[in-house]
Amino acid sequence: YDTKKGIKYFIESLLANLQKKSVIYTIDSPHHGNYAKVLGESFNNTLIRNKKSKDIFTKTLVPHGSFGLIEVDKLSGQNIKIKEMPKDINFSAYIWFISGTVVFFSATPPFVVSIKHNLIVDSLKSVYDYIWNLSADRN
């Protein structure tokens, strides 16, 4: 997906199909562009409300030293746990692992790539889990 309309539709559909109390695993780079920068804060706020109504929990990894770049008001309304990656892991991207799917986001240029291939998703998720276990709790 590479248009605002396509990205918005994809994200809305993905979240609408989630079960209550689902978990979304993400890697976020607060200093880089992601879907919120493409679609705007009002759409981001709508997503947060939708996630809250379904009691969706988010586990997020952020690059070392970037936790301070996250606006406090963006954290207060979410059911989220954030860990900061170790200094020696130089990884900046925006990725979701959700319902057997891995989703890659970019704001420059704007696009979303979704992969539903068990071997690829499970392999990448195991790398995520490994980094999660090495990372420091931030909230």
Side-chain angles (χ1 to χ4, degrees):
Y1 305 89
D2 61 358
T3 65
K4 285 184 180 184
K5 185 177 179 180
I7 294 169
K8 182 179 176 186
Y9 175 78
F10 171 78
I11 294 171
E12 288 172 339
S13 298
L14 191 64
L15 292 178
N17 290 318
L18 283 180
Q19 301 290 322
K20 286 191 177 234
K21 299 192 182 269
S22 292
V23 178
I24 300 173
Y25 305 88
T26 73
I27 300 174
D28 192 356
S29 297
H31 55 288
H32 289 176
N34 60 30
Y35 68 88
K37 291 188 171 91
V38 173
L39 301 173
E41 285 303 314
S42 65
F43 182 75
N44 190 51
N45 293 335
T46 300
L47 287 182
I48 291 170
R49 282 193 303 276
N50 290 344
K51 287 168 51 179
K52 193 172 189 173
S53 73
K54 286 188 151 190
D55 197 21
I56 294 171
F57 184 67
T58 304
K59 291 184 171 184
T60 298
L61 287 168
V62 297
H64 181 79
S66 67
F67 181 77
L69 299 173
I70 302 170
E71 297 172 27
V72 176
D73 62 321
K74 289 187 177 183
L75 299 177
S76 62
Q78 295 191 60
N79 188 8
I80 190 168
K81 179 172 181 79
I82 297 176
K83 287 190 171 189
E84 197 171 67
M85 290 183 259
K87 187 176 185 176
D88 56 338
I89 297 178
N90 188 15
F91 188 90
S92 295
Y94 198 85
I95 301 171
W96 284 8
F97 293 95
I98 183 171
S99 290
T101 303
V102 61
V103 181
F104 298 90
F105 294 94
S106 173
T108 48
F111 72 85
V112 171
V113 173
S114 171
I115 299 172
K116 289 185 179 190
H117 184 283
N118 289 339
L119 184 58
I120 293 171
V121 174
D122 291 347
S123 296
L124 291 173
K125 178 64 168 60
S126 71
V127 173
Y128 175 96
D129 292 339
Y130 178 75
I131 296 171
W132 181 265
N133 290 327
L134 295 175
S135 298
D137 288 342
R138 295 302 290 176
N139 66 333

